[in-house]
Amino acid sequence: AAILTSASEGTGLDRLLEEIAKGISRLRHRCELTVPYAKGAVLSLIHAQGQVESEEYTEEGTRVVCSMDAVLHARVMKELKGE
C-alpha cells in the first residue's frame, strides 16, 4: 500500500511510522523458552538482539517470554539444542 508523505510539509509521516512499526512487529515472533542456567550466553543473546517481556527463575533454568525475529529464533534454538 502506498503512503503519501511530504518531507517539506511534514504530512503523512505519522502514518508512515505507524506502518513501519506494524511491519516490524509482524516480523517478530513471541516465544516462551526455558534457558538452562548452563547456557547463560543464550539468554544474553536474547537480551541483546530480542525483546524480553518477562523472566522467571525456575529449577530448570530461566523461563523467558520474549519476541525475536526468525533468524535469532533459529540461532537460539540451535544453541539450546547444543549444535
Side-chain angles (χ1 to χ4, degrees):
I3 300 171
L4 299 176
T5 62
S6 170
S8 61
E9 295 177 25
T11 57
L13 297 178
D14 288 341
R15 173 122 192 275
L16 177 62
L17 291 174
E18 286 175 24
E19 291 301 316
I20 290 171
K22 285 181 193 175
I24 290 171
S25 69
R26 283 192 292 267
L27 297 174
R28 298 180 79 76
H29 303 283
R30 189 170 188 269
C31 304
E32 296 181 28
L33 304 166
T34 299
V35 179
Y37 294 117
K39 299 204 178 236
V42 174
L43 188 60
S44 295
L45 181 63
I46 294 169
H47 274 281
Q49 296 183 20
Q51 183 176 9
V52 175
E53 294 176 26
S54 67
E55 284 182 333
E56 177 185 355
Y57 303 102
T58 69
E59 285 186 32
E60 297 82 30
T62 304
R63 178 134 179 91
V64 61
V65 177
C66 59
S67 59
M68 61 182 82
D69 63 33
V71 173
L72 178 59
H73 184 265
R75 183 173 174 193
V76 165
M77 297 312 291
K78 182 178 178 182
E79 293 289 331
L80 288 177
K81 291 179 182 175
E83 297 177 6

